[in-house]
Amino acid sequence: MEYLKIIAFTHKHIDLKALGKLVICEQTLDDRLRNIQSELGVKEIFYIGTCNRVEFVFTSAHHLDKAFITRFLTVLNMGLPEEYMDKFVENVVVFEQLAAFNHLLRTSCSLESLVVGEKEILAQVRKAYEACRIGGFTADYMRMIMNRVVKTAKEVYTHTNISKNPVSVVSLAYRKLRDLKIVANSRLLIIGAGETNKNIAQYLKKHKYSNFSVFNRTIENAEVLAKELNGTAYPLSELENFNQGFDVIITCTGATEPIITKEIYTKLLNGETGKKIIVDLAIPNDTAPEVVAEFPIHFIEVESLKEIARKNIQERYDELVNAEHIIEENIKEFELVLRQRKIEIAMSSVPQKIKEIKHTAINGVFAEEINGLDENSRLVLEKVMNYMEKKCISIPMVMAKEILVKNS
């Protein structure tokens, strides 16, 4: 794990509104990561962006000092004002080698989450990795890392009670929404058809809410969610033209700029003056600050859920200890797996070399003698050679692994 590195910006050190400025939209992610690889000598990399963290997991020989972090953010080219650049550099958390692996495991097991025990983080990490794998930004090393991450997280969720009576940002948001006692026929606008909104919409459907209008940049995804909710689907571009009024807006998109601007919100009100509810679980927020400041609104956002989340950590302290023990055991096991993989890679040329020796023996050194054999003798010799080839390929590998295990 000599070259494994993580640059992390999280809710523990940076307020969520500022953190939103580091969120990378899907359309520009490949180009930004490609620039990091080419300009900073990074071999493998993937990006994790959730409602309370932005992290970069990568391999590099560089030490993660202040100069490297500054260069990293500069190459990302996020258009950060100087004061934000300084803020991020001062509040970044970096992990290298074993500490980086430990952090990735803890994160995927939800030990580092705003709400300890929620399972969404594992799915988010896997999805983030998969997107970068498909984009060609990861290779064999990250594949092994992620296999161990998934194995460890499943063991933690299976063998501890850390996710018993699961609490998540979505469930906390729904509890706050429920406390406002919205009526069953409330008009609900769902903006964004991703996992977060799907989850909170299911809570609402379960409790007999039925008046849904779903907006999404990709209309097909809006239609899928709207069908589940017996609602109506609209492209996001039609939000500003929606004139049927609303009582509750639930929004969570990957947009890097506010979707609910003052102008659009005024149009959505359609002349109504009563106090509305906005549940905004996006980072950065989908709701423009002036909307919150200038209109009568019950505003529920991730930042407001922090205190409830802190209590959740206290309640699950004993399970944290059990989870950390599982993580420690997996780290020990993985160190051996990595060494075995290094042996496999180092000996990967053995099969080809043995095949070449066999070919030379049959077609060169002993060609005359073999050609003088009868058909049955040649078949027997071929069987013997094939058997020896397999054994000569497997024995060195098996012996090397056995020696490695004995010396561990």
mmCIF file of all heavy atoms in Angstrom, residues 3 34 45 55 64 71 126 149 166 185 190 200 220 223 233 258 269 279 313 315 345 361 365 367 385-386 398 401 406:
data_model
loop_
_atom_site.group_PDB
_atom_site.id
_atom_site.type_symbol
_atom_site.label_atom_id
_atom_site.label_comp_id
_atom_site.label_asym_id
_atom_site.label_seq_id
_atom_site.Cartn_x
_atom_site.Cartn_y
_atom_site.Cartn_z
ATOM 1 N N TYR A 3 1.807 3.332 -2.212
ATOM 2 C CA TYR A 3 1.454 4.504 -3.016
ATOM 3 C C TYR A 3 -0.023 4.901 -2.896
ATOM 4 O O TYR A 3 -0.473 5.800 -3.601
ATOM 5 C CB TYR A 3 1.797 4.244 -4.483
ATOM 6 C CG TYR A 3 3.275 4.011 -4.696
ATOM 7 C CD1 TYR A 3 3.746 2.785 -5.167
ATOM 8 C CD2 TYR A 3 4.207 5.010 -4.399
ATOM 9 C CE1 TYR A 3 5.113 2.571 -5.352
ATOM 10 C CE2 TYR A 3 5.563 4.794 -4.580
ATOM 11 C CZ TYR A 3 6.016 3.574 -5.052
ATOM 12 O OH TYR A 3 7.368 3.365 -5.224
ATOM 13 N N ARG A 34 -8.546 13.235 -15.843
ATOM 14 C CA ARG A 34 -7.518 13.009 -16.859
ATOM 15 C C ARG A 34 -6.389 14.032 -16.707
ATOM 16 O O ARG A 34 -5.194 13.696 -16.841
ATOM 17 C CB ARG A 34 -8.148 13.097 -18.253
ATOM 18 C CG ARG A 34 -7.378 12.353 -19.334
ATOM 19 C CD ARG A 34 -8.188 12.235 -20.614
ATOM 20 N NE ARG A 34 -9.236 11.240 -20.486
ATOM 21 C CZ ARG A 34 -10.540 11.509 -20.547
ATOM 22 N NH1 ARG A 34 -10.949 12.741 -20.723
ATOM 23 N NH2 ARG A 34 -11.424 10.544 -20.432
ATOM 24 N N ILE A 45 -7.077 6.493 -10.141
ATOM 25 C CA ILE A 45 -7.789 7.481 -9.316
ATOM 26 C C ILE A 45 -9.288 7.280 -9.438
ATOM 27 O O ILE A 45 -9.793 6.901 -10.494
ATOM 28 C CB ILE A 45 -7.418 8.925 -9.725
ATOM 29 C CG1 ILE A 45 -8.078 9.950 -8.791
ATOM 30 C CG2 ILE A 45 -7.772 9.211 -11.173
ATOM 31 C CD1 ILE A 45 -7.569 11.373 -8.971
ATOM 32 N N GLU A 55 -13.919 13.248 -1.842
ATOM 33 C CA GLU A 55 -12.633 12.579 -1.636
ATOM 34 C C GLU A 55 -12.063 12.084 -2.959
ATOM 35 O O GLU A 55 -12.808 11.718 -3.875
ATOM 36 C CB GLU A 55 -12.775 11.410 -0.649
ATOM 37 C CG GLU A 55 -13.336 11.840 0.697
ATOM 38 C CD GLU A 55 -13.112 10.804 1.793
ATOM 39 O OE1 GLU A 55 -12.402 9.809 1.539
ATOM 40 O OE2 GLU A 55 -13.631 11.009 2.907
ATOM 41 N N LEU A 64 1.881 13.924 0.243
ATOM 42 C CA LEU A 64 0.747 14.849 0.222
ATOM 43 C C LEU A 64 0.988 16.047 1.138
ATOM 44 O O LEU A 64 0.336 16.220 2.167
ATOM 45 C CB LEU A 64 -0.542 14.114 0.623
ATOM 46 C CG LEU A 64 -0.931 12.913 -0.244
ATOM 47 C CD1 LEU A 64 -2.302 12.390 0.149
ATOM 48 C CD2 LEU A 64 -0.907 13.280 -1.725
ATOM 49 N N ARG A 71 -1.428 22.285 -5.696
ATOM 50 C CA ARG A 71 -1.275 21.936 -7.110
ATOM 51 C C ARG A 71 -2.445 21.060 -7.575
ATOM 52 O O ARG A 71 -2.973 21.247 -8.677
ATOM 53 C CB ARG A 71 0.050 21.194 -7.304
ATOM 54 C CG ARG A 71 0.324 20.723 -8.725
ATOM 55 C CD ARG A 71 0.553 21.870 -9.662
ATOM 56 N NE ARG A 71 0.914 21.402 -10.993
ATOM 57 C CZ ARG A 71 0.594 22.031 -12.114
ATOM 58 N NH1 ARG A 71 -0.079 23.166 -12.058
ATOM 59 N NH2 ARG A 71 0.958 21.551 -13.275
ATOM 60 N N ARG A 126 -19.137 2.432 -4.180
ATOM 61 C CA ARG A 126 -19.076 1.458 -5.271
ATOM 62 C C ARG A 126 -19.446 2.108 -6.606
ATOM 63 O O ARG A 126 -18.810 1.860 -7.631
ATOM 64 C CB ARG A 126 -20.011 0.279 -4.985
ATOM 65 C CG ARG A 126 -19.572 -0.580 -3.819
ATOM 66 C CD ARG A 126 -20.547 -1.701 -3.536
ATOM 67 N NE ARG A 126 -20.454 -2.768 -4.516
ATOM 68 C CZ ARG A 126 -21.119 -3.925 -4.417
ATOM 69 N NH1 ARG A 126 -21.921 -4.146 -3.381
ATOM 70 N NH2 ARG A 126 -20.979 -4.850 -5.333
ATOM 71 N N VAL A 149 -12.817 -3.657 0.208
ATOM 72 C CA VAL A 149 -13.727 -2.668 0.792
ATOM 73 C C VAL A 149 -15.133 -3.256 0.901
ATOM 74 O O VAL A 149 -15.782 -3.167 1.954
ATOM 75 C CB VAL A 149 -13.745 -1.381 -0.063
ATOM 76 C CG1 VAL A 149 -14.964 -0.521 0.261
ATOM 77 C CG2 VAL A 149 -12.474 -0.575 0.172
ATOM 78 N N PRO A 166 -31.827 1.258 11.157
ATOM 79 C CA PRO A 166 -30.961 2.180 10.426
ATOM 80 C C PRO A 166 -31.484 3.610 10.401
ATOM 81 O O PRO A 166 -32.668 3.870 10.251
ATOM 82 C CB PRO A 166 -30.921 1.586 9.011
ATOM 83 C CG PRO A 166 -32.148 0.748 8.913
ATOM 84 C CD PRO A 166 -32.368 0.202 10.279
ATOM 85 N N ASN A 185 -52.971 15.289 1.300
ATOM 86 C CA ASN A 185 -53.137 15.713 -0.100
ATOM 87 C C ASN A 185 -52.186 16.847 -0.491
ATOM 88 O O ASN A 185 -52.429 17.572 -1.460
ATOM 89 C CB ASN A 185 -54.588 16.128 -0.357
ATOM 90 C CG ASN A 185 -54.996 17.341 0.465
ATOM 91 O OD1 ASN A 185 -54.304 17.712 1.406
ATOM 92 N ND2 ASN A 185 -56.129 17.942 0.112
ATOM 93 N N ILE A 190 -40.933 16.902 -6.611
ATOM 94 C CA ILE A 190 -39.678 16.169 -6.458
ATOM 95 C C ILE A 190 -38.744 16.629 -7.565
ATOM 96 O O ILE A 190 -39.030 16.435 -8.754
ATOM 97 C CB ILE A 190 -39.890 14.643 -6.563
ATOM 98 C CG1 ILE A 190 -41.001 14.175 -5.620
ATOM 99 C CG2 ILE A 190 -38.580 13.905 -6.292
ATOM 100 C CD1 ILE A 190 -40.676 14.236 -4.168
ATOM 101 N N ILE A 200 -36.497 9.049 -0.197
ATOM 102 C CA ILE A 200 -37.411 9.878 0.592
ATOM 103 C C ILE A 200 -38.828 9.829 0.011
ATOM 104 O O ILE A 200 -39.823 9.866 0.747
ATOM 105 C CB ILE A 200 -36.904 11.323 0.713
ATOM 106 C CG1 ILE A 200 -37.583 12.012 1.908
ATOM 107 C CG2 ILE A 200 -37.109 12.119 -0.567
ATOM 108 C CD1 ILE A 200 -36.923 13.317 2.321
ATOM 109 N N GLU A 220 -36.564 10.427 -18.914
ATOM 110 C CA GLU A 220 -36.820 8.992 -18.739
ATOM 111 C C GLU A 220 -36.731 8.590 -17.270
ATOM 112 O O GLU A 220 -37.533 7.789 -16.774
ATOM 113 C CB GLU A 220 -35.835 8.160 -19.571
ATOM 114 C CG GLU A 220 -36.035 8.232 -21.076
ATOM 115 C CD GLU A 220 -35.455 9.482 -21.697
ATOM 116 O OE1 GLU A 220 -34.751 10.247 -20.978
ATOM 117 O OE2 GLU A 220 -35.673 9.693 -22.907
ATOM 118 N N GLU A 223 -39.748 9.807 -15.406
ATOM 119 C CA GLU A 223 -40.916 8.974 -15.704
ATOM 120 C C GLU A 223 -40.917 7.697 -14.875
ATOM 121 O O GLU A 223 -41.972 7.243 -14.412
ATOM 122 C CB GLU A 223 -40.954 8.644 -17.201
ATOM 123 C CG GLU A 223 -41.317 9.847 -18.068
ATOM 124 C CD GLU A 223 -41.125 9.593 -19.545
ATOM 125 O OE1 GLU A 223 -40.440 8.591 -19.896
ATOM 126 O OE2 GLU A 223 -41.637 10.392 -20.360
ATOM 127 N N ALA A 233 -44.468 13.189 -14.583
ATOM 128 C CA ALA A 233 -43.058 13.479 -14.861
ATOM 129 C C ALA A 233 -42.924 14.692 -15.770
ATOM 130 O O ALA A 233 -43.736 14.902 -16.678
ATOM 131 C CB ALA A 233 -42.391 12.269 -15.512
ATOM 132 N N PRO A 258 -27.414 26.772 -8.000
ATOM 133 C CA PRO A 258 -28.800 26.636 -7.545
ATOM 134 C C PRO A 258 -29.782 26.419 -8.686
ATOM 135 O O PRO A 258 -29.697 27.078 -9.732
ATOM 136 C CB PRO A 258 -29.067 27.960 -6.822
ATOM 137 C CG PRO A 258 -27.725 28.431 -6.381
ATOM 138 C CD PRO A 258 -26.778 28.002 -7.474
ATOM 139 N N LEU A 269 -44.606 29.620 -6.917
ATOM 140 C CA LEU A 269 -45.624 30.016 -5.936
ATOM 141 C C LEU A 269 -46.958 30.319 -6.608
ATOM 142 O O LEU A 269 -48.024 30.129 -6.008
ATOM 143 C CB LEU A 269 -45.146 31.246 -5.161
ATOM 144 C CG LEU A 269 -44.052 31.014 -4.124
ATOM 145 C CD1 LEU A 269 -43.576 32.343 -3.562
ATOM 146 C CD2 LEU A 269 -44.547 30.109 -2.986
ATOM 147 N N VAL A 279 -37.221 20.710 1.323
ATOM 148 C CA VAL A 279 -36.245 19.729 1.812
ATOM 149 C C VAL A 279 -35.145 19.665 0.765
ATOM 150 O O VAL A 279 -35.349 19.141 -0.334
ATOM 151 C CB VAL A 279 -36.886 18.337 2.019
ATOM 152 C CG1 VAL A 279 -35.838 17.347 2.528
ATOM 153 C CG2 VAL A 279 -38.060 18.418 2.982
ATOM 154 N N ILE A 313 -24.142 8.873 16.793
ATOM 155 C CA ILE A 313 -22.805 8.318 17.015
ATOM 156 C C ILE A 313 -22.653 7.846 18.463
ATOM 157 O O ILE A 313 -22.111 6.766 18.727
ATOM 158 C CB ILE A 313 -21.727 9.366 16.677
ATOM 159 C CG1 ILE A 313 -21.738 9.662 15.172
ATOM 160 C CG2 ILE A 313 -20.343 8.896 17.118
ATOM 161 C CD1 ILE A 313 -20.788 10.756 14.758
ATOM 162 N N GLU A 315 -24.969 6.825 20.528
ATOM 163 C CA GLU A 315 -25.787 5.635 20.754
ATOM 164 C C GLU A 315 -25.136 4.378 20.182
ATOM 165 O O GLU A 315 -25.363 3.274 20.670
ATOM 166 C CB GLU A 315 -27.161 5.833 20.113
ATOM 167 C CG GLU A 315 -28.008 6.905 20.801
ATOM 168 C CD GLU A 315 -29.244 7.233 19.996
ATOM 169 O OE1 GLU A 315 -29.435 6.629 18.921
ATOM 170 O OE2 GLU A 315 -30.021 8.105 20.441
ATOM 171 N N ILE A 345 2.035 -11.413 -10.164
ATOM 172 C CA ILE A 345 2.447 -10.492 -11.232
ATOM 173 C C ILE A 345 3.899 -10.742 -11.624
ATOM 174 O O ILE A 345 4.250 -10.781 -12.803
ATOM 175 C CB ILE A 345 2.248 -9.026 -10.778
ATOM 176 C CG1 ILE A 345 0.749 -8.728 -10.626
ATOM 177 C CG2 ILE A 345 2.889 -8.060 -11.777
ATOM 178 C CD1 ILE A 345 0.452 -7.380 -10.005
ATOM 179 N N ALA A 361 11.764 -27.656 -27.473
ATOM 180 C CA ALA A 361 12.134 -29.063 -27.305
ATOM 181 C C ALA A 361 11.501 -29.928 -28.391
ATOM 182 O O ALA A 361 12.171 -30.785 -28.994
ATOM 183 C CB ALA A 361 11.691 -29.546 -25.919
ATOM 184 N N VAL A 365 15.071 -29.143 -30.532
ATOM 185 C CA VAL A 365 16.076 -30.020 -29.917
ATOM 186 C C VAL A 365 15.803 -31.498 -30.184
ATOM 187 O O VAL A 365 16.702 -32.260 -30.564
ATOM 188 C CB VAL A 365 16.147 -29.747 -28.397
ATOM 189 C CG1 VAL A 365 17.184 -30.675 -27.749
ATOM 190 C CG2 VAL A 365 16.488 -28.290 -28.116
ATOM 191 N N ALA A 367 13.289 -32.717 -32.294
ATOM 192 C CA ALA A 367 12.375 -32.847 -33.431
ATOM 193 C C ALA A 367 12.634 -34.123 -34.233
ATOM 194 O O ALA A 367 11.685 -34.842 -34.604
ATOM 195 C CB ALA A 367 12.505 -31.622 -34.350
ATOM 196 N N MET A 385 4.127 -34.401 -21.967
ATOM 197 C CA MET A 385 4.612 -33.027 -22.057
ATOM 198 C C MET A 385 3.566 -32.031 -21.538
ATOM 199 O O MET A 385 3.889 -31.076 -20.828
ATOM 200 C CB MET A 385 4.970 -32.690 -23.510
ATOM 201 C CG MET A 385 6.173 -33.470 -24.030
ATOM 202 S SD MET A 385 7.708 -32.982 -23.223
ATOM 203 C CE MET A 385 7.989 -31.396 -23.992
ATOM 204 N N ASN A 386 2.291 -32.277 -21.887
ATOM 205 C CA ASN A 386 1.226 -31.387 -21.415
ATOM 206 C C ASN A 386 1.093 -31.445 -19.895
ATOM 207 O O ASN A 386 0.878 -30.419 -19.233
ATOM 208 C CB ASN A 386 -0.109 -31.755 -22.065
ATOM 209 C CG ASN A 386 -0.161 -31.379 -23.538
ATOM 210 O OD1 ASN A 386 0.593 -30.510 -23.987
ATOM 211 N ND2 ASN A 386 -1.017 -32.033 -24.301
ATOM 212 N N VAL A 398 2.577 -22.066 -6.381
ATOM 213 C CA VAL A 398 2.079 -22.634 -5.116
ATOM 214 C C VAL A 398 3.146 -22.566 -4.037
ATOM 215 O O VAL A 398 2.885 -22.164 -2.898
ATOM 216 C CB VAL A 398 1.612 -24.093 -5.325
ATOM 217 C CG1 VAL A 398 1.307 -24.759 -3.980
ATOM 218 C CG2 VAL A 398 0.392 -24.140 -6.233
ATOM 219 N N LYS A 401 3.691 -18.984 -2.741
ATOM 220 C CA LYS A 401 2.602 -18.562 -1.846
ATOM 221 C C LYS A 401 2.723 -19.247 -0.476
ATOM 222 O O LYS A 401 2.468 -18.629 0.563
ATOM 223 C CB LYS A 401 1.258 -18.838 -2.474
ATOM 224 C CG LYS A 401 0.914 -17.922 -3.645
ATOM 225 C CD LYS A 401 -0.466 -18.173 -4.187
ATOM 226 C CE LYS A 401 -0.802 -17.194 -5.295
ATOM 227 N NZ LYS A 401 -2.158 -17.407 -5.849
ATOM 228 N N LYS A 406 3.965 -18.888 5.374
ATOM 229 C CA LYS A 406 4.751 -19.345 6.521
ATOM 230 C C LYS A 406 5.557 -18.216 7.158
ATOM 231 O O LYS A 406 5.768 -18.191 8.368
ATOM 232 C CB LYS A 406 5.693 -20.471 6.084
ATOM 233 C CG LYS A 406 4.982 -21.783 5.800
ATOM 234 C CD LYS A 406 5.964 -22.846 5.311
ATOM 235 C CE LYS A 406 5.247 -24.147 4.973
ATOM 236 N NZ LYS A 406 6.189 -25.167 4.449
#
